[in-house]
């Protein structure tokens, strides 16, 4: 089946630094990827939609200059949290839309900013 | 914007019992999806529903796409300890963006 590989699974960074999270589609081409953030005991909240070769579309309230999304190829989308602060600590999950319908999710990245 | 109301928020049941959870929306969805999420993992698809009225089973799981297209339920029969986790409904509207809207989740705990 279609698999999205997300790395790293866990990362701890210092406040003020930037962190990059990668999602790769292993056996299919992902034209569209979605990035979610999930706080403890809460649901997945969509941050942005990225389409290969074009600018990402951000949801209301999500700072595009803080959460940089790059989808330069059909198999790789990245989310960079810039100048991270403790309130950015969360579980970040990517998802790829499949051509045949449906979605496949990455295994998530636990970001802790200290 | 579109929102999904999922209930119950949590359930604590005895092994062997049946479980039911549902999602409702004030707007119409074209697709309903049910996911299970284990701690520290991404959601895993359980059942996908694409047509109003559709009733689909996957082992001990059964889900239905409401006729009004504004609701869906998931039933788990004869629960076992490995059913523990958080269950999410997700709906996709008619827009071409393909965005999914997630419910708040139902936390299921099963007592052996």
């Amino acid at each position: 089946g279609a698999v999205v590989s997300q790395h790293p699974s866990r990362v701890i960074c210092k406040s003020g630094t930037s962190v990059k999270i990668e999602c790769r589609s292993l056996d299919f081409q992902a034209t569209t990827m979605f990035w979610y953030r999930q706080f403890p005991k809460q649901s997945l909240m969509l941050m942005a939609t990225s389409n290969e070769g074009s600018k990402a579309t951000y949801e209301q309230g999500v700072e595009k200059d803080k959460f940089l999304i790059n989808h330069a190829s059909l198999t790789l989308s990245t989310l960079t949290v810039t100048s991270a602060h403790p309130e950015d600590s969360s579980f970040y999950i990517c998802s790829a839309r499949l051509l045949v319908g449906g979605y496949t999710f990455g295994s998530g990245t636990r970001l802790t900013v200290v | 914007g579109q929102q999904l109301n999922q209930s119950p928020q949590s359930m604590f049941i005895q092994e062997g019992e049946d479980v039911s959870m549902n999602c409702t929306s004030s707007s119409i969805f074209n697709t309903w999806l049910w996911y299970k999420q284990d701690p520290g993992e991404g959601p895993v698809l359980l059942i996908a529903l694409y047509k109003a009225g559709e009733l689909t089973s996957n082992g001990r799981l059964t889900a239905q796409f409401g006729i009004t297209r504004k609701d869906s339920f998931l039933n788990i029969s004869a629960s076992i300890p490995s059913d523990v986790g958080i269950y999410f409904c997700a709906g996709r509207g008619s827009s071409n963006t393909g965005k999914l809207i997630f419910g708040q989740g139902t936390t299921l705990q099963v007592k052996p």
Side-chain angles (χ1 to χ4, degrees), chain A residues 6-90:
Chain A
Q6 183 171 348
H7 293 282
S9 58
R10 292 175 177 271
V11 58
I12 300 173
C13 71
K14 291 185 177 180
S15 187
T17 62
S18 296
V19 173
K20 179 185 284 189
I21 301 170
E22 293 188 349
C23 275
R24 294 181 182 274
S25 55
L26 298 184
D27 48 4
F28 67 102
Q29 293 181 331
T31 306
T32 303
M33 282 251 195
F34 302 93
W35 287 93
Y36 296 86
R37 179 168 52 183
Q38 185 179 31
F39 291 109
K41 300 188 186 300
Q42 293 189 23
S43 187
L44 284 74
M45 296 302 297
L46 182 65
M47 299 174 66
T49 303
S50 75
N51 292 295
E52 185 268 335
S54 63
K55 289 183 179 180
T57 303
Y58 290 81
E59 295 299 302
Q60 194 171 11
V62 178
E63 300 174 58
K64 60 182 179 182
D65 294 331
K66 181 171 185 61
F67 299 99
L68 300 179
I69 291 173
N70 185 288
H71 195 160
S73 79
L74 287 171
T75 59
L76 176 63
S77 178
T78 63
L79 167 67
T80 301
V81 183
T82 63
S83 186
H85 291 285
E87 57 265 31
D88 297 324
S89 298
S90 188

Side-chain angles (χ1 to χ4, degrees), chain A residues 38 43 46 59 97 103 106-107, chain B residues 37 42 92 96 98-99 102-103:
Chain A
Q38 185 179 31
S43 187
L46 182 65
E59 295 299 302
R97 186 178 181 185
Y103 305 79
S107 53
Chain B
Q37 185 180 31
R92 187 178 78 193
N96 291 328
K99 293 193 295 186
F102 278 82

